[in-house]
Amino acid sequence: MAEHKILLTEAELPTHWYNVIPDLPSPPAPYVGPDGAPVPPEAMQAIFPPGIIEQEVSQERWIAIPEPVREALALWRPSPLYRALNLEKALGTPAKIYYKYEGVSPSGSHKPNSAVAQAYYNQQAGIKRLTTETGAGQWGSSLALAGQMFGLEVRIYMVKVSYEQKPFRRSMMETWGGEVIPSPSSLTETGKAALAKDPDNPGSLGLAISEAVEEAAGRADTNYALGSVLNHVLLHQTIIGQETKAALAKVGDYPDVVLAPCGGGSNVGGMMFPFLADKAAGKDIRLVAVEPSSCPTLTRGHYAYDYGDSAGHTPIMKMYTLGHDFMPPGIHAGGLRYHGDSALVSQLYDKGILEAVAVPQIATFQAGVEFARAEGIIPAPESCHSVRGAIDEALRAKEEGKEKTILFTLSGHGHFDMAAYDKYFAGELEDFEYPADAIDQALHNLPKVGT
Amino acid sequence: MAEHKILLTEAELPTHWYNVIPDLPSPPAPYVGPDGAPVPPEAMQAIFPPGIIEQEVSQERWIAIPEPVREALALWRPSPLYRALNLEKALGTPAKIYYKYEGVSPSGSHKPNSAVAQAYYNQQAGIKRLTTETGAGQWGSSLALAGQMFGLEVRIYMVKVSYEQKPFRRSMMETWGGEVIPSPSSLTETGKAALAKDPDNPGSLGLAISEAVEEAAGRADTNYALGSVLNHVLLHQTIIGQETKAALAKVGDYPDVVLAPCGGGSNVGGMMFPFLADKAAGKDIRLVAVEPSSCPTLTRGHYAYDYGDSAGHTPIMKMYTLGHDFMPPGIHAGGLRYHGDSALVSQLYDKGILEAVAVPQIATFQAGVEFARAEGIIPAPESCHSVRGAIDEALRAKEEGKEKTILFTLSGHGHFDMAAYDKYFAGELEDFEYPADAIDQALHNLPKVGT
């Protein structure tokens, strides 16, 4: 019988995170303030613990994973690497397809990989409470779980429209002891101002971030945690790529092309950074970020200085961006609806080390259904993007009659996204194109700092 | 680092199912018709394929698992055995707690273990279509998946009230290519009659079974598949107990007590039958079925001949029963709302070889939340029953200061049951007691056959 799953033992769980910064072709651009001056790491102390701030700017290539974090990760890790034998057969492709499945975590995605690390460093710093924001709920539920593990209270500002439309992600957070507040709320000045202007404000991720940051900045016992974009988050996710390399080594294989869905960049960084050293050493490997064509940050955005949030409260980062006030259409891959991208991913894309493709929504669900019927697992809408990318690579290999090894990250399951599948089957999903004139609009609104 | 998960390789997936029948203290009572005469195996040919009928009455102790079935199972099996280190710590118990997690299957429960086998034998028999019924949707989604794997069309009669209240299980079935029909429907005589009597009939499992059987009996290309109760279903589930024994042997451990949730008996048979030979050989091991106190088939039912369905269309089996027209209250563990129990489980319980306990609904959710906060995984309401049983055993061990090894089946995750957790947190769940006078009522309605 051919092996479907390549498993590692708990002893093979990585002992270190891989920090890509020392291996970048040039140092990353610093975060800056509205005046253009670099933001010193100390400025982040109001909302982040020392362990996290250190990691955000560290020059060390390998950073040891504390034993309590490894213990927490071991509840579901190492995650399985699958050979997609049934999908290969269904596609009739000569390509070999592997996928790393991150949906085995309790919250069903890769997000807890960073949530447990952040909860740990905050607990070590004597912090009692964490705040965060969530849209679709993947990150909020992961942080609720992590907080429970390390004895921290967690308050999650959940975009009000999601709070009302996605009650089950909310229930999940509450099951793990998290407190879920619909945002905008009357608990913060930002929220009160938004409600005063419009009592029926449906909320937005930008607004929820502002509420969570405001509360954390104002309370000594409370910090803030972010689920993507920042360097330390991508660092924590590098166990994905490390485990994948170790598993592939067991079967004596190596990918020609690696794909991951791309929103803020935590999947791309997590899977691809560990492969970068090989590429730098001359290995012929393609690393491809797959993003939605409705929010095509890498493929159609600008590489420029911009705010991380829509309200302009965060430091300014050099990144690919569609403009911080870009409002992506309401696609179902909520985790990919971000105007910008990780500074590290942006830098590597700018240098041509990472590639990117944009795929339309309907085609991603078509790929997700094809995958589910062959491999059983129903992918999250975000994960459908890398499935689409992988299937396209496999079909190209078939056309060209080429043997090829394709690897992708299946970042989560779709158990809380079945309403989106319903719409797909009912023919009610739409494809959105990022309008051409929006590029000028975005340029117009970029902060006037950096070069 | 202490190991949380004990994993087997795909090569260690069992090669045979274990058939408990030759090891029973006495032969099982035959299925009988309303006239009291045994139903010959051939009578089942209208709805079951030869491979399944053979297994239903086989006297062979070990039955080889066909390679295509092992291939299908290998998509998610062997399933992990967990040491519940965090739960042990949270309870402060000297007991060791292990749980076998069946929620890793694509449909999130143990149900596909039998669904893939049944789909395979039907495909081998040249059958093109399968019908079945589903309430909560666990079985229907598993059969849709299995049908997709073996190229069979699957039509699922879903109890109408569930069809309307649980749209996401329905979407899951459709994603795997299943056709879902709200029952009662106008596709069958049974359905038409029910609708003529009451156009707003909300449906019931008994009615849905009748519709599915009627269609299968009337079409040569179509068979019927059942997800619990029958001998062959329990046979297919014995891979659970076999894998568990192999995993425990790896860490040199053995349980003092084994618990599984009990509805129709597929979890109890699947986990416990492989331990029976050891018990017969003198091993001091307790095997405990955990059932809801609102539907206490084993602990308060009669051991008598009764119909398998509420309408009285199936053969009559000797089993523990609350009476085939018993309508259990609307508890959230839909998979445990069955008036009877597997004939094999009933026989072993009657002989005192298996034990049973009944637990009230609210206490099961309390246990589920405690488990989720310690171990991460949110259990299905059915699985909350064995969690409750295991926690009670662990607390007893603590009181008595006894070291003890507890093993239980965590039969599935609760991702599609978060509405039930919501009700628990809102204090809206109820405990139901099976009323004492219902025992007389049940006796009154039993068919007048057998002894």
Side-chain angles (χ1 to χ4, degrees):
Chain A
M1 190 169 78
E3 293 275 313
H4 294 79
K5 300 181 292 297
I6 306 146
L7 302 175
L8 303 177
T9 64
E10 277 176 45
E12 293 172 293
L13 189 66
T15 56
H16 290 72
W17 291 300
Y18 167 65
N19 179 15
V20 75
I21 292 178
D23 290 330
L24 291 176
S26 56
Y31 301 159
V32 301
D35 57 357
V39 175
E42 309 81 70
M44 297 190 262
Q45 280 173 3
I47 57 169
F48 292 130
I52 291 295
I53 296 173
E54 217 171 274
Q55 291 179 354
E56 188 61 23
V57 297
S58 172
Q59 297 291 326
E60 294 295 317
R61 183 171 288 111
W62 295 102
I63 297 177
I65 307 176
E67 207 52 18
V69 174
R70 286 186 81 228
E71 280 274 356
L73 293 172
L75 269 183
W76 69 92
R77 302 204 74 86
S79 68
L81 179 71
Y82 281 86
R83 172 83 186 272
L85 292 166
N86 295 359
L87 181 63
E88 291 170 18
K89 208 170 138 190
L91 296 172
T93 179
K96 287 191 273 188
I97 307 175
Y98 291 95
Y99 60 96
K100 176 74 164 169
Y101 184 40
E102 290 291 312
V104 294
S105 81
S107 63
S109 79
H110 68 300
K111 291 289 182 192
N113 295 334
S114 183
V116 294
Q118 295 191 51
Y120 168 78
Y121 287 110
N122 276 290
Q123 180 222 41
Q124 289 293 298
I127 290 297
K128 304 293 176 208
R129 299 175 69 251
L130 290 176
T131 62
T132 197
E133 72 290 333
T134 205
Q138 294 273 16
W139 170 247
S141 55
S142 301
L143 196 70
L145 170 69
Q148 182 64 232
M149 286 174 168
F150 290 98
L152 302 173
E153 286 176 36
V154 177
R155 175 177 282 175
I156 301 127
Y157 289 91
M158 186 172 189
V159 177
K160 196 192 277 168
V161 62
S162 298
Y163 180 92
E164 283 158 4
Q165 287 175 358
K166 304 202 168 188
F168 299 142
R169 272 278 169 200
R170 173 176 56 68
S171 323
M172 195 176 207
M173 295 183 237
E174 288 170 352
T175 301
W176 286 320
E179 183 193 8
V180 189
I181 308 284
S183 166
S185 76
S186 55
L187 299 176
T188 66
E189 294 311 314
T190 315
K192 279 183 220 165
L195 289 172
K197 220 168 144 191
D198 174 10
D200 297 325
N201 189 317
S204 73
L205 208 51
L207 203 54
I209 294 179
S210 303
E211 288 206 274
V213 169
E214 181 189 316
E215 180 181 337
R219 288 186 59 160
D221 66 346
T222 302
N223 267 345
Y224 169 74
L226 188 69
S228 190
V229 180
L230 295 179
N231 301 350
H232 66 272
V233 181
L234 275 62
L235 175 79
H236 300 153
Q237 295 291 357
T238 58
I239 44 175
I240 298 175
Q242 289 186 65
E243 284 181 10
T244 303
K245 287 178 78 172
L248 282 173
K250 288 204 175 194
V251 291
D253 218 335
Y254 196 88
D256 296 300
V257 55
V258 183
L259 305 107
C262 191
S266 69
N267 264 304
V268 168
M271 176 55 101
M272 296 183 195
F273 287 177
F275 284 97
L276 280 178
D278 300 347
K279 191 177 169 82
K283 197 84 170 170
D284 185 17
I285 178 174
R286 292 172 51 216
L287 305 170
V288 185
V290 188
E291 61 183 15
S293 55
S294 55
C295 190
T297 318
L298 293 174
T299 52
R300 296 185 60 197
H302 305 279
Y303 191 39
Y305 280 90
D306 200 0
Y307 290 103
D309 68 330
S310 45
H313 292 160
T314 68
I316 298 167
M317 291 175 282
K318 190 168 184 193
M319 62 178 177
Y320 274 83
T321 177
L322 298 167
H324 61 275
D325 52 3
F326 173 64
M327 183 57 74
I331 59 166
H332 288 275
L336 308 184
R337 291 177 69 235
Y338 184 62
H339 70 277
D341 209 321
S342 142
L344 296 175
V345 168
S346 296
Q347 190 180 350
L348 287 161
Y349 178 68
D350 182 58
K351 295 285 181 210
I353 297 168
L354 303 181
E355 301 170 40
V357 292
V359 292
Q361 173 163 260
I362 295 173
T364 63
F365 278 92
Q366 188 245 323
V369 170
E370 191 161 10
F371 181 84
R373 291 186 177 176
E375 295 290 317
I377 301 166
I378 300 176
E382 293 81 2
S383 313
C384 286
H385 285 70
S386 51
V387 176
R388 178 74 269 164
I391 289 180
D392 288 346
E393 290 285 343
L395 293 177
R396 200 148 39 236
K398 183 182 177 179
E399 256 175 50
E400 297 170 355
K402 268 192 197 161
E403 285 184 24
K404 182 154 76 170
T405 300
I406 300 164
L407 164 69
F408 71 95
T409 307
L410 192 73
S411 55
H413 61 63
H415 298 172
F416 293 88
D417 304 285
M418 296 315 296
Y421 278 88
D422 267 358
K423 289 205 169 158
Y424 168 72
F425 286 119
E428 290 169 8
L429 283 189
E430 286 179 83
D431 280 338
F432 305 91
E433 275 296 312
Y434 183 70
D437 61 357
I439 294 180
D440 296 335
Q441 179 68 20
L443 261 180
H444 183 75
N445 289 336
L446 291 178
K448 304 290 177 285
V449 298
T451 47
Chain B
M1 189 169 77
E3 293 274 315
H4 294 79
K5 299 182 292 295
I6 307 148
L7 301 175
L8 302 177
T9 64
E10 278 176 43
E12 293 171 292
L13 188 65
T15 56
H16 290 72
W17 290 300
Y18 167 65
N19 179 15
V20 77
I21 290 178
D23 291 331
L24 291 176
S26 56
Y31 301 161
V32 300
D35 57 356
V39 175
E42 309 81 70
M44 298 190 263
Q45 281 175 4
I47 57 168
F48 291 129
I52 291 295
I53 295 173
E54 216 172 277
Q55 291 179 355
E56 188 63 21
V57 297
S58 172
Q59 297 291 328
E60 294 294 317
R61 183 171 288 112
W62 295 101
I63 297 178
I65 307 177
E67 207 52 18
V69 174
R70 287 186 81 228
E71 280 274 356
L73 293 171
L75 270 181
W76 69 93
R77 300 205 77 85
S79 68
L81 179 73
Y82 281 85
R83 172 82 186 272
L85 292 166
N86 294 358
L87 180 63
E88 291 171 17
K89 209 170 140 192
L91 296 172
T93 178
K96 287 191 274 188
I97 307 176
Y98 292 94
Y99 60 96
K100 176 73 166 171
Y101 184 41
E102 291 292 313
V104 294
S105 81
S107 62
S109 80
H110 67 300
K111 291 289 181 192
N113 295 335
S114 183
V116 295
Q118 294 192 50
Y120 168 77
Y121 287 110
N122 277 290
Q123 181 222 40
Q124 289 292 299
I127 290 296
K128 305 293 177 209
R129 299 175 69 251
L130 290 176
T131 61
T132 196
E133 72 290 333
T134 206
Q138 295 273 17
W139 170 247
S141 55
S142 301
L143 196 69
L145 171 68
Q148 182 63 231
M149 286 174 168
F150 289 98
L152 301 173
E153 286 176 35
V154 177
R155 175 177 282 175
I156 301 126
Y157 289 91
M158 187 171 189
V159 177
K160 197 193 275 169
V161 61
S162 298
Y163 180 91
E164 281 158 5
Q165 287 174 359
K166 305 201 166 187
F168 299 143
R169 273 278 169 199
R170 175 176 54 68
S171 323
M172 195 176 207
M173 295 183 239
E174 290 171 349
T175 301
W176 286 321
E179 184 193 7
V180 190
I181 307 284
S183 166
S185 77
S186 54
L187 299 177
T188 66
E189 295 310 314
T190 315
K192 279 183 222 166
L195 290 171
K197 217 168 146 191
D198 175 9
D200 297 324
N201 188 317
S204 74
L205 209 50
L207 203 52
I209 294 180
S210 304
E211 289 206 274
V213 169
E214 180 188 320
E215 179 180 337
R219 287 186 58 162
D221 66 346
T222 303
N223 267 346
Y224 168 75
L226 188 69
S228 191
V229 179
L230 295 178
N231 301 351
H232 66 272
V233 181
L234 275 62
L235 174 80
H236 300 153
Q237 294 292 355
T238 57
I239 43 175
I240 298 175
Q242 289 186 64
E243 283 180 10
T244 303
K245 287 179 78 171
L248 282 172
K250 287 203 176 194
V251 293
D253 218 335
Y254 196 88
D256 297 300
V257 55
V258 183
L259 304 106
C262 192
S266 69
N267 264 304
V268 168
M271 176 57 101
M272 297 183 194
F273 287 177
F275 284 97
L276 279 179
D278 301 348
K279 190 176 170 79
K283 197 86 171 168
D284 186 17
I285 178 173
R286 291 174 51 219
L287 305 170
V288 186
V290 189
E291 61 182 16
S293 55
S294 56
C295 189
T297 319
L298 293 174
T299 52
R300 297 187 58 198
H302 304 279
Y303 190 40
Y305 280 89
D306 200 1
Y307 290 104
D309 67 330
S310 44
H313 291 160
T314 69
I316 298 168
M317 292 174 281
K318 189 167 183 193
M319 61 177 178
Y320 275 84
T321 177
L322 297 167
H324 61 275
D325 52 2
F326 173 66
M327 182 57 73
I331 58 166
H332 288 276
L336 308 184
R337 291 178 69 236
Y338 183 61
H339 70 277
D341 210 322
S342 142
L344 297 175
V345 167
S346 296
Q347 189 179 350
L348 288 160
Y349 177 68
D350 182 58
K351 295 285 180 211
I353 297 168
L354 302 182
E355 300 172 40
V357 294
V359 292
Q361 174 164 260
I362 295 172
T364 63
F365 278 91
Q366 188 244 321
V369 170
E370 191 162 10
F371 181 84
R373 291 184 177 177
E375 295 289 316
I377 300 165
I378 300 176
E382 292 82 3
S383 313
C384 286
H385 285 70
S386 52
V387 175
R388 177 74 268 163
I391 289 180
D392 288 346
E393 290 285 344
L395 293 176
R396 199 146 44 234
K398 181 182 178 179
E399 257 174 49
E400 297 170 357
K402 269 194 196 160
E403 286 184 24
K404 183 152 76 169
T405 300
I406 299 164
L407 164 68
F408 72 95
T409 308
L410 192 73
S411 55
H413 62 62
H415 298 172
F416 294 87
D417 304 285
M418 297 312 299
Y421 279 88
D422 266 0
K423 288 205 169 157
Y424 168 72
F425 286 119
E428 289 169 9
L429 283 190
E430 284 178 83
D431 279 339
F432 305 90
E433 276 296 314
Y434 183 69
D437 60 358
I439 293 180
D440 296 334
Q441 178 70 19
L443 260 181
H444 184 74
N445 289 335
L446 290 178
K448 303 290 177 283
V449 298
T451 46

